[in-house]
Amino acid sequence: MSEFQNIGLIGRTESSSAVMSLTRLMAFLEKEGYAIVLEEETSTAVRHSARISPRDKLGELCDLVIVVGGDGSLLSAARALAKFSVPLLGINRGRLGFLTDITPDEVEQKVGEVLAGKYMAESRFLLDMSVSRNGSLVANGSALNDVVLHPGEFIRMIEFDLFIDGQFVYTQRSDGLIISTPTGSTAYALSGGGPIMHPKLDAIVLVPLNPHTLSSRPIVVEGSSEFELIIGEQNITKPYVTCDGHDQVITKPGDRIRIHKKPHRLTLIHPLEHNFYGICRSKLGWAGGA
């Protein structure tokens, strides 16, 4: 008997191709005798008689959650479900697919292998973010990829102080800062000139966005580090903070943004042949060897 009996499903409902793959996956799971629990919004896009659950309750009901969509869909599921320690498996119906690595034409084969115990599990950490104003908490969020400070609606240089583990690092004037996990190192941080980090690394990278000095470069620090950004009092604009491109917060001069590793880790499930370097070759256009 499979260790996974109750299977939660989350689909990218605005994508017709994702809905097609979701319907195909449901037919396979029902045929094999698995209990399906559909995420509430996902349930509106398919015909079914399955149990329905709000997203934030799936982790209590399921042994495995399968996400049908792109990396953005999996990031959203990860933020909601990490606290439950329920593993996630991704079927790619997006573009790059660094996290959702099963292709639509191999759904039955690869999902069947995973359910039969033929898979590899990978642990990833997330970041917690909070914004304080005059000593009071005004917003918080979490991210699997990155927390980003940026100018928001207007393209203007912003000024902020950076502290790591209570030690002053620098006052920077730039378009902002990307604080990224290894998972996010192949996303926005890579576009900003940051290094690619292997997912197993316990490290965090800070990537300045267009800094107003040629000497400012990405910094890689240990994963247990705690960060504090203090928004400069002289800023004309009000910088934004986003977590994985969501949970947008508009800051004010003097606000303190604190970021640290989340206590709960995410377990990603991959097919046995999953290979990080192979994915980089495929998704980033690296040259193949013999």
Side-chain angles (χ1 to χ4, degrees), residues 191-203:
S191 300
I196 293 175
M197 297 194 293
H198 193 281
K200 291 183 180 179
L201 281 175
D202 184 13

Side-chain angles (χ1 to χ4, degrees), residues 24-248:
R24 176 174 167 178
L25 174 61
M26 290 177 63
F28 170 73
L29 293 174
E30 289 172 346
K31 178 183 176 183
E32 297 297 316
Y34 292 95
I36 297 174
V37 184
L38 277 173
E39 184 260 345
E40 198 167 33
E41 183 178 345
T42 304
S43 70
T44 64
V46 293
R47 297 178 61 184
H48 67 91
S49 58
R51 184 176 181 180
I52 300 173
S53 168
R55 177 172 299 208
D56 60 0
K57 297 294 183 183
L58 273 179
E60 298 176 354
L61 303 173
C62 302
D63 311 310
L64 172 71
V65 172
I66 302 177
V67 180
V68 182
D71 285 349
S73 299
L74 196 138
L75 289 171
S76 177
R79 292 192 300 273
L81 299 175
K83 63 183 178 181
F84 297 106
S85 300
V86 60
L88 299 187
L89 173 67
I91 295 173
N92 187 26
R93 271 303 190 175
R95 291 186 292 273
L96 277 178
F98 268 96
L99 301 175
T100 50
D101 49 6
I102 293 179
T103 61
D105 59 355
E106 57 184 10
V107 166
E108 292 87 356
Q109 177 189 348
K110 296 302 180 184
V111 173
E113 290 175 0
V114 167
L115 296 176
K118 299 176 182 178
Y119 65 85
M120 58 180 293
E122 193 173 52
S123 179
R124 306 282 183 101
F125 70 84
L126 294 85
L127 298 174
D128 272 334
M129 180 279 299
S130 65
V131 179
S132 298
R133 184 173 301 150
N134 299 321
S136 299
L137 178 68
V138 295
N140 56 31
S142 61
L144 177 58
N145 267 358
D146 49 46
V147 176
V148 181
L149 175 70
H150 60 95
E153 297 180 0
F154 304 102
I155 302 176
R156 294 192 181 209
M157 197 82 67
I158 59 179
E159 184 175 290
F160 57 90
D161 293 337
L162 170 65
F163 293 81
I164 300 178
D165 292 332
Q167 297 183 358
F168 176 67
V169 180
Y170 52 54
T171 296
Q172 185 176 102
R173 297 187 72 245
S174 66
D175 287 346
L177 184 69
I178 304 169
I179 299 180
S180 171
T181 67
T183 301
S185 71
T186 52
Y188 190 27
L190 181 62
S191 300
I196 293 175
M197 297 194 293
H198 193 281
K200 291 183 180 179
L201 281 175
D202 184 13
I204 294 171
V205 63
L206 294 83
V207 182
L209 287 171
N210 302 319
H212 200 220
T213 170
L214 295 176
S215 62
S216 186
R217 292 289 183 266
I219 303 173
V220 179
V221 299
E222 60 182 334
S224 60
S225 302
E226 298 193 4
F227 309 90
E228 184 174 48
L229 304 176
I230 302 177
I231 306 301
E233 296 285 356
Q234 305 304 317
N235 285 310
I236 299 174
T237 186
K238 296 178 180 178
Y240 286 41
V241 182
T242 56
C243 297
D244 290 344
H246 293 273
D247 298 330
Q248 184 167 278

Side-chain angles (χ1 to χ4, degrees), residues 255-290:
D255 282 2
R256 293 174 178 265
I257 304 162
R258 294 182 175 89
I259 301 159
H260 57 84
K261 184 190 291 186
K262 198 177 188 70
H264 310 100
R265 297 181 70 94
L266 173 72
T267 299
L268 284 181
I269 298 292
H270 301 288
L272 282 177
E273 68 275 12
H274 172 80
N275 182 295
F276 175 70
Y277 304 110
I279 290 175
C280 287
R281 283 196 305 273
S282 171
K283 307 302 182 182
L284 300 178
W286 290 358

